[in-house]
Coordinates of all heavy atoms in Angstrom, one line a residue:
M238 N 0.9 -1.2 0.0 CA 0.0 0.0 0.0 C 1.0 1.2 0.0 O 2.0 1.2 0.6 CB -1.0 0.0 1.2 CG -0.1 0.1 2.6 SD -1.3 0.2 4.0 CE -0.1 -0.2 5.4
I239 N 0.4 2.3 -0.6 CA 1.1 3.5 -0.7 C 0.4 4.5 0.3 O -0.8 4.7 0.3 CB 1.1 4.1 -2.1 CG1 1.9 3.2 -2.9 CG2 1.7 5.5 -2.1 CD1 1.9 3.6 -4.4
V240 N 1.2 5.1 1.2 CA 0.6 6.0 2.3 C 1.4 7.3 2.2 O 2.7 7.3 1.7 CB 0.7 5.5 3.7 CG1 -0.1 4.3 3.7 CG2 2.1 5.3 4.1
K241 N 0.8 8.4 2.5 CA 1.6 9.6 2.6 C 2.3 9.5 3.9 O 1.9 9.3 5.0 CB 0.6 10.9 2.7 CG 1.3 12.2 2.9 CD 0.4 13.3 3.0 CE 1.2 14.7 3.3 NZ 0.5 15.9 3.5
L242 N 3.6 10.0 3.7 CA 4.5 9.9 5.0 C 4.6 11.4 5.6 O 4.6 11.4 6.8 CB 5.9 9.4 4.6 CG 6.9 9.2 5.6 CD1 6.4 7.9 6.3 CD2 8.2 8.8 5.0
C243 N 4.8 12.3 4.8 CA 5.0 13.7 5.3 C 4.8 14.7 4.2 O 4.6 14.3 3.0 CB 6.2 13.8 6.0 SG 7.7 13.6 5.0
N244 N 5.1 16.0 4.4 CA 5.2 17.0 3.5 C 6.7 17.0 3.0 O 7.6 16.7 3.8 CB 4.8 18.4 3.8 CG 3.2 18.3 4.1 OD1 2.5 17.7 3.3 ND2 2.8 19.0 5.2
S245 N 7.0 17.4 1.8 CA 8.4 17.5 1.4 C 9.2 18.4 2.4 O 10.3 18.2 2.6 CB 8.5 18.2 0.0 OG 7.8 17.3 -0.9
S246 N 8.6 19.4 3.0 CA 9.4 20.3 3.8 C 9.8 19.6 5.3 O 10.6 20.1 5.9 CB 8.5 21.6 4.1 OG 7.3 21.2 4.8
D247 N 9.2 18.5 5.4 CA 9.5 17.7 6.7 C 10.6 16.8 6.5 O 11.1 16.2 7.5 CB 8.3 16.9 7.1 CG 7.0 17.7 7.5 OD1 7.2 18.8 8.0 OD2 5.8 17.2 7.1
L248 N 11.1 16.5 5.2 CA 12.2 15.7 5.0 C 13.5 16.2 5.6 O 13.7 17.5 5.8 CB 12.4 15.5 3.5 CG 11.4 14.7 2.8 CD1 11.7 14.8 1.2 CD2 11.3 13.2 3.2
P249 N 14.4 15.2 6.0 CA 15.7 15.7 6.6 C 16.5 16.4 5.6 O 16.3 16.3 4.4 CB 16.3 14.5 7.1 CG 15.6 13.4 6.3 CD 14.2 13.8 6.0
K250 N 17.4 17.3 6.1 CA 18.4 17.9 5.1 C 19.4 16.9 4.6 O 19.4 15.8 5.2 CB 19.2 19.0 5.8 CG 18.2 20.1 6.4 CD 19.1 21.3 6.9 CE 18.3 22.5 7.3 NZ 17.0 22.6 7.0
D251 N 20.0 17.3 3.5 CA 21.1 16.3 3.0 C 22.0 16.0 4.0 O 22.5 16.8 4.7 CB 21.7 16.9 1.7 CG 22.2 15.8 0.7 OD1 21.3 15.1 0.2 OD2 23.4 15.7 0.6
G252 N 22.4 14.8 4.1 CA 23.3 14.3 5.2 C 22.7 14.0 6.5 O 23.4 13.7 7.4
A253 N 21.4 13.9 6.6 CA 20.7 13.7 7.8 C 19.7 12.5 7.8 O 19.3 12.1 6.7 CB 20.0 15.1 8.3
L254 N 19.3 12.2 9.0 CA 18.3 11.1 9.2 C 17.1 11.6 9.9 O 17.3 12.6 10.8 CB 19.0 9.9 10.0 CG 20.2 9.3 9.5 CD1 20.9 8.6 10.7 CD2 19.8 8.3 8.3
R255 N 15.9 11.1 9.7 CA 14.8 11.5 10.6 C 13.9 10.3 10.7 O 13.6 9.6 9.7 CB 14.1 12.7 9.9 CG 13.0 13.2 10.8 CD 12.5 14.6 10.3 NE 11.5 15.0 11.2 CZ 10.8 16.1 11.0 NH1 11.1 16.9 10.1 NH2 9.8 16.4 11.9
A256 N 13.2 10.0 11.9 CA 12.3 9.1 12.0 C 10.8 9.5 11.8 O 10.5 10.7 11.9 CB 12.3 8.5 13.5
F257 N 10.0 8.6 11.1 CA 8.7 8.9 10.9 C 7.9 7.6 11.2 O 8.5 6.6 11.3 CB 8.5 9.1 9.3 CG 9.0 10.4 8.8 CD1 10.4 10.4 8.5 CD2 8.4 11.5 8.8 CE1 10.9 11.7 8.0 CE2 8.9 12.8 8.4 CZ 10.1 12.8 7.9
R258 N 6.5 7.8 11.3 CA 5.6 6.8 11.5 C 4.9 6.7 10.1 O 4.2 7.7 9.8 CB 4.7 7.0 12.7 CG 3.8 5.8 13.0 CD 4.6 4.9 13.9 NE 3.6 3.8 14.3 CZ 4.0 2.6 14.6 NH1 5.3 2.3 14.8 NH2 3.1 1.8 14.9
G259 N 4.9 5.5 9.5 CA 4.0 5.3 8.3 C 3.1 4.0 8.5 O 3.6 3.0 8.5
G260 N 1.8 4.4 8.7 CA 1.0 3.2 9.0 C 1.5 2.6 10.3 O 1.6 3.3 11.3
A261 N 1.6 1.3 10.2 CA 2.1 0.5 11.4 C 3.6 0.5 11.5 O 4.2 -0.3 12.4 CB 1.4 -0.8 11.5
Y262 N 4.3 1.0 10.7 CA 5.6 1.0 10.6 C 6.5 2.2 11.1 O 6.2 3.3 10.8 CB 6.1 0.7 9.0 CG 5.4 -0.5 8.4 CD1 4.1 -0.6 8.1 CD2 6.3 -1.8 8.4 CE1 3.7 -1.7 7.4 CE2 5.7 -2.9 8.0 CZ 4.4 -2.9 7.4 OH 3.9 -4.1 7.0
D263 N 7.6 1.9 11.7 CA 8.6 2.9 12.0 C 9.6 3.1 10.9 O 10.3 2.0 10.5 CB 9.3 2.7 13.4 CG 8.4 2.7 14.6 OD1 7.6 3.8 14.6 OD2 8.5 2.0 15.4
I264 N 9.7 4.3 10.4 CA 10.5 4.4 9.2 C 11.6 5.4 9.5 O 11.5 6.4 10.2 CB 9.6 5.2 8.0 CG1 8.3 4.4 8.0 CG2 10.3 5.2 6.8 CD1 8.4 3.1 7.2
C265 N 12.8 5.0 8.9 CA 13.9 6.1 8.9 C 14.1 6.6 7.5 O 14.1 5.8 6.6 CB 15.1 5.4 9.5 SG 16.6 6.5 9.5
V266 N 14.1 7.8 7.4 CA 14.4 8.5 6.0 C 15.7 9.2 6.1 O 16.1 9.8 7.2 CB 13.4 9.5 5.8 CG1 13.7 10.4 4.5 CG2 11.9 8.9 5.5
A267 N 16.6 8.9 5.0 CA 17.9 9.4 5.0 C 17.9 10.3 3.7 O 17.4 9.8 2.6 CB 18.9 8.2 5.0
R268 N 18.7 11.3 3.8 CA 19.0 12.1 2.6 C 20.6 12.2 2.3 O 21.2 12.6 3.2 CB 18.3 13.5 2.6 CG 16.9 13.4 2.6 CD 16.1 14.5 2.0 NE 16.8 15.4 1.1 CZ 16.5 15.6 -0.1 NH1 15.6 14.9 -0.7 NH2 17.2 16.6 -0.8
C269 N 20.9 11.7 1.2 CA 22.3 11.9 0.8 C 22.4 12.1 -0.7 O 21.7 11.4 -1.5 CB 23.2 10.6 1.3 SG 22.6 9.1 0.7
D270 N 23.5 12.8 -1.1 CA 23.7 12.9 -2.6 C 22.5 13.4 -3.3 O 22.1 13.2 -4.4 CB 24.2 11.7 -3.2 CG 25.6 11.3 -2.7 OD1 26.2 12.1 -2.2 OD2 25.9 10.1 -2.9
G271 N 21.6 14.3 -2.5 CA 20.5 14.8 -3.1 C 19.2 13.9 -3.3 O 18.2 14.2 -3.9
K272 N 19.5 12.7 -2.8 CA 18.3 11.7 -3.1 C 17.9 11.3 -1.6 O 18.5 11.4 -0.5 CB 19.0 10.4 -3.7 CG 19.4 10.7 -5.1 CD 19.7 9.4 -5.7 CE 20.2 9.7 -7.2 NZ 21.0 8.7 -7.7
T273 N 16.6 10.8 -1.7 CA 15.9 10.4 -0.5 C 15.7 8.8 -0.5 O 15.2 8.3 -1.4 CB 14.5 11.0 -0.4 OG1 14.6 12.4 -0.5 CG2 13.7 10.7 0.9
Y274 N 16.0 8.3 0.8 CA 15.9 6.8 1.0 C 15.1 6.6 2.2 O 15.2 7.3 3.3 CB 17.3 6.2 1.1 CG 18.1 6.4 -0.1 CD1 19.1 7.5 -0.1 CD2 17.9 5.6 -1.2 CE1 19.9 7.6 -1.3 CE2 18.8 5.8 -2.4 CZ 19.8 6.8 -2.4 OH 20.6 7.1 -3.4
A275 N 14.3 5.4 2.2 CA 13.5 5.1 3.4 C 13.8 3.7 3.8 O 13.9 2.7 2.7 CB 12.0 5.3 3.1
F276 N 13.7 3.3 5.0 CA 14.0 1.9 5.4 C 13.4 1.8 6.7 O 13.3 2.8 7.5 CB 15.6 1.5 5.3 CG 16.5 2.6 5.9 CD1 16.8 2.5 7.2 CD2 17.0 3.6 5.1 CE1 17.7 3.4 7.7 CE2 17.8 4.6 5.7 CZ 18.2 4.5 7.0
A277 N 13.2 0.5 7.3 CA 12.8 0.2 8.6 C 13.7 0.9 9.6 O 15.0 0.8 9.5 CB 12.8 -1.3 8.8
N278 N 13.1 1.5 10.6 CA 13.9 2.2 11.6 C 14.3 1.2 12.7 O 14.0 1.4 13.9 CB 13.1 3.4 12.1 CG 14.0 4.3 12.9 OD1 15.3 4.3 12.9 ND2 13.5 5.2 13.8
E279 N 14.9 0.2 12.3 CA 15.1 -0.9 13.2 C 16.4 -1.8 12.6 O 16.3 -2.3 11.6 CB 14.0 -1.9 13.3 CG 14.0 -2.9 14.4 CD 12.6 -3.7 14.5 OE1 11.8 -3.2 15.2 OE2 12.5 -4.7 13.8
C280 N 17.5 -1.6 13.4 CA 18.8 -2.3 12.9 C 18.4 -3.8 12.9 O 17.8 -4.4 13.8 CB 19.9 -2.0 13.9 SG 21.3 -2.8 13.5
P281 N 18.9 -4.5 11.8 CA 18.7 -5.9 11.6 C 19.5 -6.6 12.7 O 19.2 -7.9 12.8 CB 19.0 -6.1 10.3 CG 20.0 -5.0 9.9 CD 19.4 -3.8 10.5
H282 N 20.4 -6.1 13.5 CA 21.1 -6.7 14.5 C 20.2 -6.9 15.7 O 19.8 -8.0 16.1 CB 22.4 -5.9 14.7 CG 23.2 -6.7 15.8 ND1 24.0 -6.0 16.8 CD2 23.5 -7.9 16.1 CE1 24.5 -6.9 17.6 NE2 24.3 -8.0 17.1
Q283 N 20.0 -5.9 16.5 CA 19.2 -5.9 17.7 C 18.1 -4.8 17.8 O 18.0 -4.3 18.8 CB 20.1 -6.1 18.9 CG 20.9 -7.3 19.0 CD 21.8 -7.4 20.2 OE1 21.9 -6.5 21.1 NE2 22.5 -8.6 20.4
A284 N 17.7 -4.4 16.7 CA 16.6 -3.4 16.6 C 16.8 -2.1 17.1 O 15.8 -1.3 17.5 CB 15.4 -4.1 17.3
A285 N 17.9 -1.6 17.2 CA 18.3 -0.2 17.4 C 17.5 0.8 16.5 O 17.5 0.4 15.3 CB 19.8 0.1 17.5
P286 N 17.1 1.9 17.0 CA 16.6 3.0 16.0 C 17.7 3.6 15.2 O 18.5 4.3 15.7 CB 15.9 3.9 17.0 CG 16.7 3.8 18.2 CD 17.1 2.4 18.4
L287 N 17.8 3.2 13.9 CA 18.9 3.7 13.0 C 18.7 5.2 12.9 O 19.8 5.9 12.6 CB 18.7 3.0 11.7 CG 19.1 1.5 11.9 CD1 18.8 0.9 10.6 CD2 20.6 1.3 12.1
S288 N 17.5 5.9 13.2 CA 17.4 7.3 13.0 C 18.3 7.9 14.0 O 18.6 9.2 14.0 CB 16.0 7.7 13.2 OG 15.5 7.3 14.4
A289 N 18.7 7.2 15.2 CA 19.6 7.8 16.2 C 21.1 7.6 15.8 O 22.0 8.0 16.6 CB 19.2 7.2 17.6
G290 N 21.4 6.9 14.7 CA 22.7 6.8 14.2 C 23.3 7.9 13.5 O 22.8 9.2 13.6
E291 N 24.4 7.7 13.0 CA 25.2 8.7 12.3 C 25.1 8.3 10.6 O 25.2 7.2 10.3 CB 26.6 8.8 12.6 CG 26.9 9.0 14.1 CD 26.9 10.6 14.4 OE1 27.0 11.3 13.6 OE2 26.3 10.8 15.5
L292 N 24.9 9.5 9.9 CA 25.0 9.3 8.5 C 26.2 10.0 8.0 O 26.5 11.1 8.2 CB 23.8 9.9 7.8 CG 23.6 9.7 6.4 CD1 23.4 8.2 6.1 CD2 22.3 10.5 5.7
D293 N 27.1 9.1 7.4 CA 28.3 9.6 6.7 C 28.2 9.3 5.3 O 28.3 8.1 4.9 CB 29.5 8.9 7.4 CG 30.8 9.4 6.9 OD1 30.9 10.3 6.2 OD2 31.8 8.7 7.0
G294 N 28.1 10.4 4.5 CA 27.8 10.1 3.1 C 26.5 9.3 3.1 O 25.4 9.8 3.6
C295 N 26.4 8.2 2.4 CA 25.2 7.4 2.3 C 25.3 6.2 3.1 O 24.6 5.2 2.9 CB 24.9 7.0 0.7 SG 24.4 8.3 -0.2
I296 N 26.2 6.2 4.1 CA 26.5 5.1 5.1 C 25.9 5.5 6.4 O 26.4 6.4 7.0 CB 27.9 4.7 5.2 CG1 28.5 4.4 3.9 CG2 28.1 3.6 6.2 CD1 28.0 3.1 3.1
V297 N 24.9 4.6 7.0 CA 24.4 4.9 8.2 C 25.2 4.0 9.2 O 25.4 2.8 8.9 CB 22.9 4.7 8.4 CG1 22.5 3.3 8.0 CG2 22.4 5.0 9.7
T298 N 25.5 4.5 10.5 CA 26.2 3.6 11.4 C 25.1 3.5 12.6 O 24.6 4.5 13.2 CB 27.5 4.3 12.0 OG1 28.3 4.4 10.8 CG2 28.2 3.4 13.1
C299 N 24.9 2.3 13.0 CA 23.8 2.0 14.1 C 24.5 2.6 15.4 O 25.6 2.5 15.7 CB 23.7 0.5 14.2 SG 22.6 0.1 15.6
P300 N 23.5 3.3 16.2 CA 24.1 3.8 17.5 C 24.4 2.7 18.6 O 25.0 3.1 19.5 CB 22.7 4.6 17.9 CG 21.6 4.0 17.3 CD 22.1 3.5 15.9
Y301 N 24.0 1.5 18.5 CA 24.3 0.5 19.4 C 25.6 -0.1 19.4 O 26.4 -0.1 20.2 CB 23.1 -0.6 19.4 CG 21.8 -0.1 20.1 CD1 21.5 1.2 20.5 CD2 20.8 -1.2 20.4 CE1 20.4 1.5 20.9 CE2 19.8 -0.8 21.0 CZ 19.3 0.5 21.3 OH 18.2 0.8 21.9
H302 N 25.9 -0.9 18.2 CA 27.1 -1.6 18.1 C 27.9 -1.3 16.9 O 28.8 -2.0 16.6 CB 26.8 -3.1 18.1 CG 25.8 -3.5 19.2 ND1 24.5 -3.9 19.0 CD2 26.0 -3.7 20.5 CE1 23.8 -4.1 20.1 NE2 24.8 -4.1 21.0
G303 N 27.4 -0.2 16.2 CA 28.3 0.3 15.0 C 28.2 -0.4 13.7 O 29.1 -0.2 12.9
W304 N 27.2 -1.3 13.6 CA 27.1 -1.8 12.2 C 26.8 -0.8 11.2 O 26.2 0.1 11.7 CB 26.0 -2.9 12.2 CG 26.3 -4.2 12.9 CD1 27.3 -4.5 13.9 CD2 25.6 -5.4 12.8 NE1 27.1 -5.7 14.3 CE2 26.2 -6.5 13.6 CE3 24.6 -6.0 11.9 CZ2 25.8 -7.8 13.6 CZ3 24.2 -7.3 11.9 CH2 24.8 -8.1 12.8
R305 N 27.3 -0.9 10.0 CA 27.1 0.1 9.1 C 26.4 -0.5 7.7 O 26.8 -1.6 7.4 CB 28.6 0.7 8.6 CG 29.1 1.4 9.7 CD 30.7 1.6 9.6 NE 31.0 2.1 8.4 CZ 31.2 3.4 8.2 NH1 30.9 4.3 9.0 NH2 31.6 3.9 6.9
F306 N 25.7 0.2 7.2 CA 24.8 0.0 6.1 C 24.7 1.1 5.1 O 24.7 2.2 5.4 CB 23.3 -0.3 6.5 CG 23.2 -1.3 7.5 CD1 23.3 -0.9 8.9 CD2 23.0 -2.7 7.4 CE1 23.2 -1.9 9.9 CE2 22.8 -3.6 8.3 CZ 23.0 -3.2 9.6
S307 N 24.6 0.7 3.8 CA 24.4 1.8 2.7 C 22.9 2.0 2.8 O 22.1 1.1 2.6 CB 24.8 1.1 1.4 OG 24.1 1.9 0.4
V308 N 22.6 3.3 2.8 CA 21.1 3.7 2.9 C 20.6 3.6 1.4 O 19.3 3.5 1.1 CB 20.8 5.0 3.5 CG1 21.2 5.0 4.9 CG2 21.4 6.1 2.6
A309 N 21.4 3.6 0.5 CA 21.0 3.6 -1.0 C 20.8 2.2 -1.5 O 19.9 2.0 -2.3 CB 22.1 4.2 -2.0
T310 N 21.4 1.2 -0.9 CA 21.3 -0.2 -1.4 C 20.7 -1.1 -0.2 O 20.1 -2.2 -0.5 CB 22.5 -0.9 -1.9 OG1 23.4 -1.0 -0.7 CG2 23.1 -0.1 -2.9
G311 N 20.8 -0.6 1.0 CA 20.3 -1.4 2.2 C 21.5 -2.5 2.6 O 21.4 -3.1 3.7
E312 N 22.5 -2.5 1.8 CA 23.5 -3.6 2.1 C 24.3 -3.3 3.3 O 24.7 -2.2 3.5 CB 24.4 -3.8 0.8 CG 23.7 -4.5 -0.4 CD 23.1 -5.9 -0.1 OE1 23.9 -6.6 0.5 OE2 22.0 -6.1 -0.4
P313 N 24.8 -4.3 4.0 CA 25.6 -4.2 5.2 C 27.1 -4.0 4.7 O 27.4 -4.5 3.7 CB 25.4 -5.5 5.9 CG 25.1 -6.6 4.9 CD 24.4 -5.7 3.9
E314 N 28.0 -3.3 5.5 CA 29.3 -3.2 5.2 C 29.9 -4.5 5.3 O 30.9 -4.8 4.6 CB 29.9 -2.3 6.3 CG 31.4 -1.8 6.0 CD 31.9 -0.8 6.9 OE1 32.0 -1.1 8.2 OE2 32.2 0.3 6.6
K315 N 29.5 -5.3 6.3 CA 30.3 -6.7 6.5 C 29.5 -7.7 5.8 O 28.2 -8.0 6.1 CB 30.2 -6.9 8.0 CG 31.1 -8.1 8.4 CD 31.2 -8.3 9.9 CE 31.5 -9.6 10.3 NZ 31.1 -10.0 11.6
E316 N 30.1 -8.4 4.8 CA 29.5 -9.5 4.1 C 28.8 -10.5 5.0 O 29.5 -10.9 6.0 CB 30.5 -10.1 3.2 CG 29.8 -10.8 2.0 CD 30.9 -11.5 1.0 OE1 31.9 -10.6 0.9 OE2 30.7 -12.5 0.5
G317 N 27.6 -11.0 4.7 CA 27.0 -11.9 5.6 C 26.1 -11.4 6.6 O 25.2 -12.1 7.0
D318 N 26.3 -10.2 7.0 CA 25.3 -9.6 7.9 C 24.0 -9.4 7.2 O 24.0 -9.1 6.0 CB 25.7 -8.2 8.6 CG 26.9 -8.5 9.4 OD1 27.1 -9.6 9.9 OD2 27.6 -7.5 9.8
P319 N 22.9 -9.3 7.8 CA 21.5 -9.0 7.3 C 21.5 -7.6 6.7 O 22.1 -6.6 7.3 CB 20.5 -9.1 8.3 CG 21.3 -9.1 9.5 CD 22.7 -9.5 9.3
A320 N 20.7 -7.3 5.7 CA 20.6 -6.0 5.0 C 19.3 -5.2 5.7 O 18.4 -5.8 6.3 CB 20.2 -6.2 3.5
L321 N 19.3 -4.0 5.4 CA 18.2 -3.0 5.8 C 16.9 -3.5 5.1 O 17.1 -3.9 3.9 CB 18.4 -1.6 5.5 CG 19.6 -1.0 6.2 CD1 19.8 0.5 5.9 CD2 19.6 -1.2 7.7
I322 N 15.8 -3.2 5.6 CA 14.4 -3.4 5.0 C 14.2 -2.1 4.4 O 13.9 -1.1 5.1 CB 13.4 -3.9 5.9 CG1 13.7 -5.2 6.5 CG2 12.0 -3.9 5.2 CD1 12.7 -5.7 7.7
R323 N 14.2 -2.0 3.0 CA 14.0 -0.7 2.4 C 12.7 -0.5 1.8 O 11.9 -1.6 1.5 CB 15.0 -0.7 1.2 CG 16.5 -0.6 1.7 CD 17.5 -0.6 0.6 NE 17.4 0.7 -0.2 CZ 17.1 0.7 -1.5 NH1 16.9 -0.3 -2.2 NH2 16.9 1.9 -2.1
Y324 N 12.2 0.6 1.7 CA 10.9 0.9 1.1 C 11.1 1.9 0.0 O 11.9 2.9 0.0 CB 9.9 1.5 2.2 CG 9.8 0.7 3.4 CD1 10.3 1.0 4.6 CD2 9.1 -0.6 3.4 CE1 10.2 0.3 5.8 CE2 9.0 -1.3 4.4 CZ 9.5 -0.9 5.7 OH 9.4 -1.7 6.8
E325 N 10.3 1.9 -1.0 CA 10.2 2.9 -2.0 C 9.6 4.1 -1.5 O 8.6 4.2 -0.9 CB 9.4 2.5 -3.2 CG 10.1 1.2 -4.0 CD 11.3 1.5 -4.5 OE1 11.5 2.6 -5.1 OE2 12.3 0.8 -4.4
I326 N 10.2 5.3 -1.9 CA 9.7 6.7 -1.3 C 9.7 7.5 -2.6 O 10.8 7.5 -3.4 CB 10.5 7.0 -0.2 CG1 9.9 8.3 0.5 CG2 12.0 7.3 -0.5 CD1 10.5 8.7 1.8
G327 N 8.7 8.5 -2.6 CA 8.8 9.5 -3.7 C 7.9 10.7 -3.4 O 7.2 10.7 -2.4
E328 N 8.2 11.8 -4.1 CA 7.6 13.0 -4.0 C 6.6 13.3 -5.0 O 6.9 13.1 -6.1 CB 8.6 14.2 -3.6 CG 9.3 14.1 -2.3 CD 10.3 15.2 -2.2 OE1 9.8 16.3 -2.0 OE2 11.5 15.1 -2.5
L329 N 5.5 13.8 -4.8 CA 4.6 14.5 -5.7 C 3.9 15.7 -5.1 O 3.2 15.6 -4.1 CB 3.5 13.3 -6.0 CG 2.6 13.7 -7.0 CD1 3.1 13.8 -8.4 CD2 1.3 12.6 -7.0
E330 N 4.1 16.8 -5.9 CA 3.5 18.1 -5.4 C 3.6 18.3 -3.9 O 2.7 18.6 -3.3 CB 1.9 18.0 -5.9 CG 1.8 17.9 -7.4 CD 0.4 17.9 -7.7 OE1 -0.6 17.8 -6.9 OE2 0.0 17.8 -9.0
N331 N 4.9 18.3 -3.5 CA 5.3 18.7 -2.2 C 4.8 17.8 -1.1 O 4.8 18.1 0.1 CB 4.8 20.1 -1.9 CG 5.5 21.1 -2.7 OD1 6.8 21.0 -3.0 ND2 4.9 22.0 -3.3
E332 N 4.4 16.5 -1.5 CA 4.0 15.5 -0.5 C 4.9 14.4 -0.8 O 5.3 14.1 -1.9 CB 2.6 15.2 -0.5 CG 1.5 16.3 -0.3 CD 0.2 15.9 -0.2 OE1 -0.2 15.2 -1.3 OE2 -0.6 16.4 0.5
V333 N 5.2 13.6 0.4 CA 6.1 12.5 0.3 C 5.2 11.1 0.5 O 4.4 11.0 1.5 CB 7.2 12.5 1.4 CG1 8.1 11.3 1.3 CG2 8.0 13.9 1.1
F334 N 5.4 10.2 -0.4 CA 4.7 9.0 -0.3 C 5.6 7.8 -0.2 O 6.8 7.9 -0.7 CB 3.7 8.9 -1.5 CG 2.6 9.9 -1.7 CD1 3.0 11.0 -2.3 CD2 1.5 9.7 -1.0 CE1 2.0 12.1 -2.4 CE2 0.5 10.6 -1.1 CZ 0.8 11.8 -1.7
I335 N 5.2 6.8 0.5 CA 6.0 5.7 0.7 C 5.2 4.3 0.5 O 4.0 4.3 0.7 CB 6.6 5.6 2.1 CG1 7.7 4.5 2.3 CG2 5.6 5.5 3.2 CD1 8.4 4.7 3.6
Q336 N 5.8 3.3 -0.1 CA 5.1 2.1 -0.4 C 5.6 1.1 0.7 O 6.7 0.8 0.9 CB 5.6 1.5 -1.7 CG 4.9 0.2 -2.1 CD 4.8 0.0 -3.6 OE1 5.6 0.5 -4.3 NE2 3.8 -0.9 -3.9
L337 N 4.5 0.7 1.4 CA 4.7 -0.3 2.6 C 4.0 -1.6 2.3 O 3.1 -1.7 1.6 CB 4.0 0.4 3.7 CG 4.6 1.7 4.3 CD1 3.9 2.3 5.3 CD2 6.0 1.5 4.8
P338 N 4.6 -2.7 3.0 CA 3.9 -4.0 2.7 C 2.4 -4.0 3.1 O 2.0 -3.2 3.9 CB 4.6 -4.9 3.7 CG 5.9 -4.1 3.9 CD 5.6 -2.7 3.9
G339 N 1.7 -4.8 2.4 CA 0.2 -4.9 2.8 C -0.7 -4.1 1.9 O -0.4 -3.4 1.0
Ligands
LIG780 S1 21.6 -3.0 17.2 FE1 22.5 -2.2 15.4 S2 24.5 -2.9 15.5 FE2 23.6 -3.9 17.3

């Protein structure tokens, strides 16, 4: 299902992260290189809120144990670790929409 997440003016600035609630899902939105990415705001290691982590370029570092993931691809830095759960996100007429399961 596609739901409205926020207005475009609510998106984080480039190089930043922000938490949102989308339907029943906790979402982390990241902006880097002028693009917007969305993924589950739950680290695949032990469920830390990734929105409380650090964004360096397009790499987010988890605040709990430092695992690192590409927000662009969801892939972990360390081969074999689980990837982020990513969601499609887009803007239309100053509103931001996200595609969620269900
Ligand atoms: S909970 Fe994210 S690295 Fe452990």
Side-chain angles (χ1 to χ4, degrees):
M238 66 179 164
I239 296 175
V240 299
K241 180 183 173 184
L242 192 66
C243 63
N244 295 320
S245 297
S246 58
D247 298 323
L248 288 172
K250 295 189 184 337
D251 207 66
L254 303 159
R255 185 163 180 191
F257 291 91
R258 187 81 178 163
Y262 295 85
D263 288 321
I264 311 290
C265 182
V266 173
R268 294 215 7 120
C269 62
D270 295 342
K272 294 187 179 155
T273 306
Y274 301 100
F276 45 93
N278 194 17
E279 188 172 275
C280 179
H282 179 219
Q283 290 183 355
L287 291 166
S288 59
E291 296 285 330
L292 187 63
D293 180 14
C295 289
I296 302 293
V297 62
T298 301
C299 177
Y301 281 13
H302 313 103
W304 286 22
R305 290 160 55 90
F306 306 87
S307 165
V308 300
T310 67
E312 290 301 313
E314 184 178 69
K315 188 172 155 205
E316 194 174 331
D318 285 347
L321 300 180
I322 298 171
R323 297 177 62 238
Y324 305 112
E325 292 299 319
I326 188 169
E328 290 179 72
L329 182 66
E330 296 179 355
N331 296 317
E332 296 184 317
V333 180
F334 295 88
I335 189 167
Q336 182 157 20
L337 297 170

